[in-house]
Amino acid sequence: MKNIRNFCIIAHIDHGKSTLADRLLEFTKTVGDKEMQNQVLDDMDLERERGITIKSHAIQMDYTLGGENYTLNLIDTPGHVDFSYEVSRSIAACEGALLVVDATQGVQAQTISNLYMAIDNGLEIIPVINKIDMDSAHPDEVEDEIVELLGCDPEEIIRVSARTGEGVPKVLEAIVARIPAPSGDPDAPLQALIFDSVFNPFRGIIVYFKIENGSIHKGDLVKFVNTGKQYNADEIGVLKLQMAPRTELTTGTVGYIISGIKTSAEVRVGDTITHVATPCEKAIEGFQEVKPMVFAGVYPIDPEDFENLRTSLEKLQLNDASLTFTPESSVALGFGFRCGFLGLLHMEIVQERLSREFNMEVITTVPNVSYKVYDKKGEMTEVHNPAGLPDPTLIEHIEEPYIRASIITQSEFMGPIITLCLGKRGELVKQDYISGNRMELTFDIPLGEIVIDFYDKLKSISKGYASFDYYIHDFRDSKLIKMDILLNGQPVDALSSLIHVDNAVSLGRRMCEKLKELIPRQQYDIAIQAAIGAKIIARETVKQVRKDVTAKCYGGDVSRKRKLLEKQKAGKKRMKQIGTVQVPQKAFLAVLKLD
C-alpha cells in the first residue's frame, strides 16, 4: 500500500490537462506507440471534436524510481465549469492533485474553484506551470500568481511543456515524493467508494470504485450500503487503457467490479461497497449530491419513443451522475422529461450524446431555473417550469436564485464586462487586482439571467480572455411574471417563461418577431402573441397562403367575384377552427439565441 499514489489533474479549461496526462502515460510506458494519440484518455468522439474533456478518466500506471516499483492511479478531469461535479467525484477518490496553470494565460476562475475543492478535501497540491515552450509564455509572472494563491515556495512549482515532454520526469518524481500513500486498514471490513459507473450492453453496469479499507476478492458476495442490494463480484480488476482483471484488490486501489447489474437505479455514485458476511459499520461520508442549475424539458420527436427516451436517459445518467430527470407532459409536445443540467454546455452535450449514443432525436424547450413561490398562506413551493406556476392571485411573492460570480479578466475589458453584468440585473460586490493588469470582479447576478447567452457574450466582449465561475449564493425576492406565447389564442406551454417585469415587453416583442420568421405559412392567418395574464404585450401575424380564386372569373358583374371571395373566406374560417400550428424544433432553439 505504501507504494500506491492516487492523484488527479485539475485546471481551468484548455490549460493542457489531457496533454500532460498523455505525456505521463508515455513516460511510464503505459500506452504503446501504436495506441498513442492526442487526448488518449478522451475516448468519446465529442471530446476529440471539441478538444475538451467531458468525463473524468481513470488509468493505472506503473513507475519505477530508485529501484522501487510504484503504482500511480491517475484521474484526468474536465476543466469547464459545467462539469465541476465530475471534478468533485475525482477529488473524492484521490490523495493528491496536480494543479496545472497555463504559462500564457495565468491563474483563471476555474483554477481557483477547483483548487478550493481539492483543499477542502485535504489533498496535497503539486503546482505545475504548463506550455513554457510557447512564445507568449510568461512563467515568472504566473509563478508569482501561484505563490500568492497557494502560499507555497517558488521551488515547489514545476515548469513543464506537456507538448514536448520537457519537465515531465520531475512531475513523476514529485508525485511519488510529495503525495501521501493511501491511509486505510487492510485488515478492516471492506469499505469502497463508488465514484463512477458506465453501461455496457453485454456485461451490464460496470462500477468504478476506490477501496478505503479492507480488500475484495473475485467471487466475493458484496452489497451496496445505500440501496441494500447484494451481488457476486464476477470480475474485479484495475483500469489500464483497457480493463485488466485481477483476483484480489487491496486498500488504496482504484478498480472496477462487474456483477451483472442490469438496472441503473441500483447504482448510486457516492455509495459504499462492503462484504455481506462482514459489513462495515457505516457508509463513507462527505459525498455531495448534485445540484442542477438549469432546467429544460426534453421531449421525443415521435411520441411513441417516450419509453426509449426514458431508457436512454437512465443509461446516460449512469455515465453522467450530474444529470437529473423527472417525467412531465406538455400540451404542445406530449410526454417527456424535465431534466436538470449543470449549465448550458452540459445541456448541449447531453442532447448530442442522446443523438449519437442512443439514436434519440429530441426537442429541448427553453431552459430556466428553479424558483421559490410563496402563496398568501405563507407556504413555499419550488417551481422548475413556468407551466407549474400557481394562479397569480394566490402568489404573495416569488424568490429567484442569485449566484456569486467570479470573473477574472484583463483590466482593459473591465468597462464592457461591468456594463454586461449590470444589464443582467447584476450587483458589483468587489473588484481586486490579482497581478499586473489582471483583475477579479465579483458580482451577484440572478441565475435566470445567465442561463441563456451570458457566457457567449462574456467571451466575445473580452476576446476570450475572461474566465467565469459561480456558485449559488442565495434566493432573493424579485418582481417576476409569467409570459405566455399564444398561437391563434392557444398557449404553447413549451415557450412560456418566467422573466423580470422590466424585460417582459422587449423579450415578448423579439420572440414574436423571431417566431414569425420560423413558423411556416398556412392556408389561414396565424396570430403570434406574447401575453402576461390576459394582457397582450406584442403581436405578429404570419400571413396566409392565398390562391387567386377570381382568376377564372372574367367579365360580368363585380358581385360574381365577391361571391367567390366570400366562399373562400368561409372555407378559411372553417380551416382555422380545425387547424393546429406545428412549431418547428428550430423555433425553440432560436428563442435561446435571441439577441
Side-chain angles (χ1 to χ4, degrees):
M1 194 168 91
K2 70 180 192 330
N3 287 6
I4 295 175
R5 301 287 184 272
N6 298 320
F7 70 99
C8 58
I9 306 180
I10 55 176
H12 190 80
I13 190 166
D14 210 21
H15 279 204
K17 295 175 300 302
S18 298
T19 316
L20 181 59
D22 291 351
R23 291 296 83 73
L24 293 173
L25 296 176
E26 217 169 51
F27 272 85
T28 54
K29 298 189 171 51
T30 306
V31 179
D33 294 340
K34 281 185 183 174
E35 295 136 341
M36 196 61 211
Q37 55 180 338
N38 287 341
Q39 288 178 268
V40 71
L41 292 181
D42 294 349
D43 49 14
M44 235 186 282
D45 291 342
L46 256 179
E47 293 180 311
R48 296 186 173 284
E49 283 168 25
R50 291 173 178 245
I52 58 174
T53 304
I54 294 167
K55 283 287 303 162
S56 296
H57 297 272
I59 191 163
Q60 191 178 91
M61 306 181 284
D62 296 316
Y63 176 61
T64 310
L65 180 69
E68 282 214 47
N69 293 325
Y70 292 91
T71 301
L72 310 181
N73 290 310
L74 153 70
I75 303 180
D76 178 27
T77 64
H80 196 281
V81 63
D82 281 12
F83 304 112
S84 53
Y85 185 65
E86 289 280 331
V87 183
S88 74
R89 286 159 46 188
S90 308
I91 284 172
C94 293
E95 281 82 36
L98 296 181
L99 179 73
V100 179
V101 181
D102 188 333
T104 62
Q105 304 267 0
V107 172
Q108 291 192 280
Q110 202 58 27
T111 317
I112 297 172
S113 82
N114 286 343
L115 170 69
Y116 287 159
M117 213 188 293
I119 290 172
D120 288 346
N121 279 275
L123 268 61
E124 179 65 38
I125 309 292
I126 300 177
V128 176
I129 298 178
N130 189 19
K131 304 192 188 179
I132 56 169
D133 60 316
M134 302 277 280
D135 294 337
S136 54
H138 40 85
D140 294 337
E141 286 176 36
V142 176
E143 191 172 89
D144 293 342
E145 287 177 25
I146 295 173
V147 169
E148 197 172 317
L149 183 66
L150 277 175
C152 61
D153 291 330
E155 297 80 54
E156 291 176 24
I157 301 168
I158 304 168
R159 297 188 182 191
V160 303
S161 165
R163 193 173 56 174
T164 62
E166 182 190 341
V168 173
K170 286 184 189 169
V171 174
L172 287 164
E173 288 166 21
I175 289 165
V176 171
R178 295 197 218 166
I179 293 176
S183 59
D185 183 356
D187 303 321
L190 173 67
Q191 200 180 27
L193 173 74
I194 298 175
F195 68 89
D196 206 355
S197 57
V198 59
F199 180 78
N200 183 307
F202 306 106
R203 314 208 55 184
I205 294 160
I206 302 168
V207 177
Y208 297 162
F209 61 84
K210 180 202 172 190
I211 301 177
E212 299 282 348
N213 292 303
S215 59
I216 182 171
H217 295 76
K218 185 178 175 180
D220 283 356
L221 184 64
V222 297
K223 73 169 180 180
F224 292 2
V225 175
N226 284 344
T227 57
K229 302 277 185 183
Q230 300 184 3
Y231 309 99
N232 280 313
D234 299 336
E235 181 180 313
I236 58 170
V238 295
L239 299 154
K240 298 279 191 180
L241 200 54
Q242 265 73 41
M243 293 184 291
R246 298 283 186 270
T247 52
E248 180 189 16
L249 295 177
T250 54
T251 306
T253 311
V254 173
Y256 70 90
I257 177 171
I258 300 175
S259 46
I261 307 169
K262 294 285 185 287
T263 318
S264 54
E266 294 174 19
V267 179
R268 299 260 320 266
V269 168
D271 203 347
T272 304
I273 305 175
T274 188
H275 282 125
V276 173
T278 54
C280 58
E281 289 179 13
K282 61 181 194 308
I284 298 166
E285 291 176 2
F287 201 85
Q288 61 188 45
E289 277 292 314
V290 60
K291 295 188 195 78
M293 301 281 189
V294 176
F295 295 87
V298 173
Y299 294 86
I301 286 176
D302 184 348
E304 291 175 3
D305 285 339
F306 175 71
E307 280 305 321
N308 293 349
L309 178 59
R310 184 197 293 275
T311 315
S312 304
L313 283 169
E314 283 175 356
K315 289 176 183 172
L316 190 56
Q317 194 179 37
L318 278 173
N319 198 237
D320 181 359
S322 52
L323 171 68
T324 59
F325 61 92
T326 51
E328 71 164 6
S329 63
S330 149
V331 181
L333 300 168
F335 290 101
F337 295 92
R338 169 103 338 213
C339 297
F341 307 97
L342 294 185
L344 275 190
L345 177 68
H346 184 214
M347 177 174 134
E348 201 181 313
I349 295 291
V350 166
Q351 210 174 335
E352 189 77 20
R353 287 183 71 184
L354 280 171
S355 166
R356 290 187 185 202
E357 294 172 29
F358 304 101
N359 217 9
M360 283 298 313
E361 296 300 331
V362 294
I363 291 175
T364 313
T365 64
V366 182
N368 52 24
V369 298
S370 61
Y371 298 91
K372 290 182 177 177
V373 179
Y374 290 85
D375 60 18
K376 296 276 168 71
K377 296 175 186 170
E379 291 175 4
M380 188 272 287
T381 48
E382 266 204 17
V383 174
H384 302 314
N385 184 352
L389 202 66
D391 190 279
T393 55
L394 303 174
I395 297 172
E396 178 66 36
H397 67 277
I398 303 176
E399 290 186 355
E400 65 175 332
Y402 267 70
I403 58 161
R404 176 65 55 92
S406 156
I407 299 170
I408 296 180
T409 182
Q410 294 180 346
S411 51
E412 64 198 86
F413 305 120
M414 185 177 105
I417 288 174
I418 290 178
T419 309
L420 171 70
C421 294
L422 295 179
K424 296 283 186 184
R425 298 192 284 129
E427 298 166 14
L428 182 61
V429 179
K430 63 175 184 190
Q431 55 190 64
D432 300 313
Y433 277 90
I434 300 176
S435 67
N437 67 339
R438 297 178 69 241
M439 61 189 308
E440 181 180 11
L441 299 168
T442 307
F443 282 92
D444 284 349
I445 310 176
L447 180 61
E449 293 283 345
I450 70 154
V451 295
I452 292 183
D453 58 356
F454 178 81
Y455 199 57
D456 296 340
K457 284 184 175 173
L458 181 68
K459 282 289 182 202
S460 62
I461 62 176
S462 65
K463 300 180 183 166
Y465 278 112
S467 59
F468 174 67
D469 183 46
Y470 61 89
Y471 60 89
I472 293 285
H473 186 53
D474 56 5
F475 278 77
R476 299 186 192 176
D477 197 354
S478 283
K479 282 186 182 172
L480 296 169
I481 46 174
K482 179 186 172 191
M483 185 176 75
D484 289 311
I485 297 293
L486 312 177
L487 295 181
N488 278 348
Q490 295 297 318
V492 182
D493 52 358
L495 289 173
S496 301
S497 51
L498 268 176
I499 50 172
H500 195 265
V501 67
D502 296 346
N503 304 340
V505 176
S506 63
L507 183 70
R509 197 166 290 146
R510 291 193 339 245
M511 281 176 84
C512 289
E513 286 167 3
K514 197 74 185 172
L515 288 168
K516 183 184 176 182
E517 294 169 22
L518 295 166
I519 290 176
R521 290 170 72 188
Q522 307 284 345
Q523 300 225 341
Y524 49 87
D525 280 353
I526 302 170
I528 305 167
Q529 295 166 310
I532 295 168
K535 183 184 174 189
I536 305 296
I537 56 170
R539 170 179 173 136
E540 293 287 339
T541 307
V542 179
K543 281 296 184 194
Q544 59 188 326
V545 180
R546 293 186 66 133
K547 179 183 174 187
D548 186 2
V549 287
T550 58
K552 62 184 180 185
C553 191
Y554 50 92
D557 189 46
V558 71
S559 59
R560 290 179 62 196
K561 286 190 176 181
R562 194 169 292 138
K563 186 179 168 187
L564 287 168
L565 288 169
E566 287 297 328
K567 191 178 170 187
Q568 182 191 33
K569 192 173 167 186
K572 298 267 186 199
K573 193 174 178 184
R574 193 167 61 250
M575 201 183 284
K576 189 173 181 176
Q577 286 170 351
I578 57 168
T580 56
V581 184
Q582 295 293 324
V583 183
Q585 161 70 1
K586 62 183 178 199
F588 293 108
L589 296 175
V591 171
L592 309 187
K593 297 185 169 64
L594 275 180
D595 193 12

